[in-house]
Amino acid sequence: MLVLDLFIRGLSHVLVPMFFFGLVGSAFVVVISTAHDVLEVFTPDEEHADSDL
């Protein structure tokens, strides 16, 4: 039981930071995707500008 407890404690020192790095990475992807979508919504379409010629 002692060996398993030491193994889990050692593993947690690796897995906990990996979890938080993944959480930060996911939040970064959400921010970038949202910014891209907002820019896409508020920029004029090029197709409509060419059809007026």
Side-chain angles (χ1 to χ4, degrees), residues 26-37:
S26 296
F28 183 70
V29 168
V30 168
V31 168
I32 294 297
S33 298
T34 303
H36 183 265
D37 290 343

Side-chain angles (χ1 to χ4, degrees), residues 16-51:
V16 170
M18 286 177 62
F19 169 76
F20 286 113
F21 283 132
L23 196 66
V24 169
S26 296
F28 183 70
V29 168
V30 168
V31 168
I32 294 297
S33 298
T34 303
H36 183 265
D37 290 343
V38 166
L39 286 175
E40 186 175 324
V41 166
F42 288 116
T43 53
D45 291 339
E46 297 296 326
E47 299 171 6
H48 297 298
D50 292 338
S51 64

Side-chain angles (χ1 to χ4, degrees), residues 1-9:
M1 189 71 172
L2 181 66
V3 174
L4 185 61
D5 188 43
L6 289 174
F7 176 72
I8 294 300
R9 286 183 186 265

